[in-house]
Amino acid sequence: ASITNVIGNPLEIHLAMFLPTLLNQATPEQMDRFFTPSWDLEIIGTYAQTEMGHGTHLRGLETTATFDPATQEFVMHSPTVTSIKWWPGGLGKTSNHAIVLAQLYTQGKCHGLNAFIVPLRSMGTHMPLPGIVIGDIGPKFGFDAVDNGYLKLEHVRIPRENMLMKYAQVKPDGSYVKPLSSKLTYGTMVFIRSLIVGNAGIVLSQCCTIAIRYSAVRHQSEIRAGEAEPQILDYQTQQHKLFPLLATAYAFLFAGQYMIDTYNRISGDINQGDLSEMPELHALSAGLKAFTTWTANTGIEVCRMSCGGHGYSRSSALPDIYVEFTPSCTYEGENTVMMLQTARWVWTLHPSTPLLPTPCFPGTPTLVGEVKNERERLVELAAQSIQQESARGKCQEDSWNNSTIDLVRASDAHCHYMVLKMFRDKVDQIEDPGVHSVMSTLAHLYAIHGMGNFTGDFLQAGVLTGAQVPSVSKCLKGLLAEVRPSAVLLVDAFDHHDKMLNSVLGRHDGNVYEAMFEWARSSPLNRTEVHESFHKHLKPLQAKL
């Protein structure tokens, strides 16, 4: 599964969140009422969770759903300006229903967040229903085709049966039946975060395809005086920019496959009443969502700059990819907060297994252990920070807050370790010797590049010594040279069709310059030889001179 095919259009939330939420949280009766018409696009839904005043901190959401036993209805209400739902895709003008996350009140008690299906617009006229104040939030950094919207609920009444009741229930008398776990309400977010991990790999693979293909076409400067200009892909600095990102794209694609497989397996266990693995899945999806989107977001820009000035043109597709991908660092959970959620899980791993021997860089399997050592040590350092804060008289909450920099570093190391382990496990399943050799080199490159990027952490963790640091650089250079003969083939293997890439620089046939010239000639400004601005502004100005 991937959100790439639906992202950036008004139906993306309907397909990626509204329908999956019904599948996971609706009763059989609710499936009959809501899922079938939603599948047929009679009902077009969105997922209204984020509010103007709260996003990642879900317990702070203010929208209320108060049960009225006299009428067997929930009264949905936005009590403050900050409680107005804000940002859901398709909410502004497209959707006629929403799954609304709200604080449930019944029998005078608040039972926390629950999900409710709220009709927004008339099925016949599409006009907003009574009590529904709704609209588009206006232009954004990107996503121009998506009507991200606002929703203010003014004492809107919905039937009791519109509460999603597969896990939690409100009986006709108002009594509340709590779910096995309150986190079951957040299952859709875990699903989307799992998809985002793989999507980061897809987007990064698109950018690597564009940049590496272009680097094989572009010839520039001289390595040896008087000789022909080489492909810029032959420059070690260009390889250093792009080949680790190529390895990372493969790593993230494998991690995305792992996350979806794990989500499906654990969802099956949850349906059987086994919730034992849910905390780890929640922590891993949160951390990897942050880890992969941060890395891919930075990688897109590296790919753009590696294409020189031509990468700045929208004909390269790289600027559009950036503006469409960068929101993933904040939607479905702001990344730093996601890392801190993962830190609470990583915290349970301390103390963990003893450190392995110091590295000698023989291959990826040993490097997996060394990255694990880094994680263990950084978790230990975070623990020491918290203990030191407590020793100074700080309360538990303040001790945690004053150690969050260390905790994020530990979470980052945990995610790096997990992605590398998934990569290594995937490579071990490859039977073809040639493919295994190339992919093993990529996995090795991913590991070594990570050690080079976080040398300070590895030194502080005692996994690397100062004398070993030059060996990391030497090993990295050797791996770049190994990847070079296969680089174009490796991006071709992603199988991104030219029509999907929509990039003059990333064309499979290599006819970059011809396509670039045609793209320029098709500019709207070239429809006339003399633009109207000449007659309107320049000619009168020249006359005055």
Side-chain angles (χ1 to χ4, degrees):
S2 171
I3 61 174
T4 303
N5 294 329
V6 299
I7 202 166
N9 73 69
L11 290 180
E12 64 172 301
I13 301 300
H14 175 80
L15 297 171
M17 298 189 75
F18 189 83
L19 290 174
T21 301
L22 292 178
L23 282 171
N24 290 325
Q25 299 189 38
T27 64
E29 294 77 14
Q30 290 173 324
M31 289 290 288
D32 290 338
R33 284 179 59 210
F34 296 111
F35 186 83
T36 300
S38 298
W39 184 260
D40 294 335
L41 293 181
E42 296 172 22
I43 288 177
I44 299 176
T46 187
Y47 191 83
Q49 174 177 286
T50 298
E51 297 174 356
M52 192 184 295
H54 286 94
T56 306
H57 180 55
L58 298 182
R59 291 194 302 275
L61 295 179
E62 301 175 81
T63 303
T64 59
T66 306
F67 183 62
D68 181 356
T71 61
Q72 294 292 291
E73 294 173 317
F74 289 102
V75 181
M76 310 296 297
H77 186 56
S78 306
T80 63
V81 172
T82 51
S83 69
I84 296 171
K85 295 296 182 182
W86 202 264
W87 277 116
L91 175 62
K93 297 295 178 181
T94 304
S95 299
N96 53 32
H97 283 67
I99 291 174
V100 175
L101 273 290
Q103 303 286 354
L104 168 62
Y105 286 85
T106 182
Q107 296 182 339
K109 295 181 180 179
C110 179
H111 295 279
L113 287 180
N114 284 265
F116 303 84
I117 300 175
V118 180
L120 304 176
R121 294 176 178 271
S122 165
M123 298 293 283
T125 66
H126 207 61
M127 287 293 292
L129 296 171
I132 300 291
V133 180
I134 194 170
D136 181 82
I137 63 171
K140 308 166 289 286
F141 187 55
F143 277 68
D144 293 337
V146 179
D147 52 328
N148 297 87
Y150 61 80
L151 171 64
K152 186 174 186 287
L153 299 162
E154 297 180 337
H155 303 287
V156 175
R157 289 180 172 266
I158 60 172
R160 181 180 67 89
E161 294 78 12
N162 280 31
M163 173 183 168
L164 292 179
M165 293 197 193
K166 182 176 181 179
Y167 299 116
Q169 299 175 19
V170 171
K171 298 293 186 181
D173 64 357
S175 58
Y176 179 70
V177 179
K178 65 181 182 179
L180 293 174
S181 169
S182 60
K183 294 189 181 297
L184 289 171
T185 305
Y186 310 143
T188 301
M189 287 188 303
V190 174
F191 172 67
I192 292 297
R193 289 170 187 165
S194 298
L195 287 181
I196 288 172
V197 173
N199 191 58
I202 292 171
V203 169
L204 193 55
S205 72
Q206 292 172 334
C207 296
C208 286
T209 299
I210 294 168
I212 289 175
R213 283 179 176 172
Y214 174 68
S215 297
V217 170
R218 182 76 169 182
H219 291 256
Q220 187 164 298
S221 303
E222 298 173 340
I223 293 179
R224 287 176 290 274
E227 293 189 2
E229 293 179 296
Q231 297 167 301
I232 61 174
L233 199 57
D234 287 333
Y235 287 99
Q236 189 181 68
T237 50
Q238 190 78 344
Q239 296 171 9
H240 188 229
K241 293 174 186 176
L242 296 177
F243 292 175
L245 290 177
L246 174 62
T248 302
Y250 273 99
F252 288 179
L253 287 169
F254 296 148
Q257 292 173 5
Y258 174 89
M259 288 302 300
I260 291 301
D261 291 344
T262 302
Y263 174 85
N264 290 333
R265 177 177 59 79
I266 294 178
S267 293
D269 294 340
I270 289 172
N271 287 331
Q272 299 300 318
D274 180 3
L275 309 181
S276 59
E277 293 189 78
M278 192 170 66
E280 183 175 4
L281 175 63
H282 176 268
L284 190 58
S285 66
L288 288 185
K289 181 266 180 188
F291 182 78
T292 58
T293 56
W294 265 335
T295 304
N297 198 55
T298 302
I300 296 168
E301 183 68 354
V302 171
C303 288
R304 184 189 69 78
M305 290 190 291
S306 74
C307 293
H310 292 322
Y312 189 67
S313 169
R314 288 185 68 182
S315 67
S316 73
L318 294 167
D320 288 336
I321 291 174
Y322 181 82
V323 298
E324 289 183 4
F325 183 79
T326 194
S328 62
C329 294
T330 47
Y331 65 50
E332 298 310 313
E334 192 277 329
N335 278 359
T336 300
V337 178
M338 292 297 93
M339 280 297 192
L340 289 172
Q341 288 185 10
T342 302
R344 294 188 183 278
W345 165 257
V346 175
W347 188 254
T348 66
L349 303 176
H350 175 73
S352 190
T353 54
L355 298 184
L356 300 172
T358 54
C360 54
F361 314 115
T364 317
T366 301
L367 286 171
V368 174
E370 289 146 11
V371 174
K372 184 178 181 182
N373 286 347
E374 178 214 17
R375 178 196 69 179
E376 307 300 348
R377 181 58 179 152
L378 290 177
V379 172
E380 184 179 335
L381 291 172
Q384 290 175 1
S385 174
I386 292 174
Q387 292 165 0
Q388 290 167 0
E389 292 293 324
S390 297
R392 296 189 184 102
K394 301 289 186 181
C395 66
Q396 182 179 354
E397 294 78 8
D398 287 342
S399 296
W400 179 273
N401 183 52
N402 292 344
S403 304
T404 49
I405 293 174
D406 302 294
L407 290 163
V408 168
R409 287 171 65 204
S411 289
D412 197 62
H414 174 67
C415 293
H416 183 212
Y417 161 69
M418 290 300 297
V419 170
L420 179 57
K421 184 176 184 299
M422 294 171 195
F423 200 167
R424 185 67 247 178
D425 291 345
K426 192 72 174 181
V427 170
D428 287 343
Q429 298 169 17
I430 299 173
E431 296 180 358
D432 184 281
V435 176
H436 183 277
S437 175
V438 172
M439 296 308 296
S440 183
T441 299
L442 280 183
H444 197 173
L445 175 59
Y446 178 74
I448 284 290
H449 184 257
M451 294 184 77
N453 270 359
F454 300 100
T455 300
D457 287 343
F458 280 89
L459 287 170
Q460 187 176 9
V463 179
L464 276 178
T465 66
Q468 290 171 320
V469 171
S471 299
V472 175
S473 179
K474 181 179 179 180
C475 184
L476 176 65
K477 292 174 183 177
L479 291 167
L480 294 178
E482 284 186 48
V483 172
R484 172 62 183 95
S486 305
V488 175
L489 292 174
L490 284 166
V491 296
D492 286 350
F494 291 133
D495 199 25
H496 294 305
H497 194 278
D498 283 350
K499 289 184 178 179
M500 294 298 294
L501 281 180
N502 195 29
S503 169
V504 301
L505 302 189
R507 293 172 59 95
H508 185 266
D509 62 11
N511 295 328
V512 168
Y513 299 119
E514 296 87 346
M516 190 181 302
F517 186 48
E518 287 303 313
W519 190 89
R521 294 187 69 182
S522 68
S523 169
L525 289 178
N526 294 327
R527 290 173 184 167
T528 58
E529 288 298 333
V530 179
H531 193 260
E532 62 181 358
S533 61
F534 172 77
H535 300 287
K536 188 175 181 179
H537 299 292
L538 292 179
K539 191 172 182 179
L541 179 62
Q542 291 171 345
K544 291 180 181 179
L545 297 177

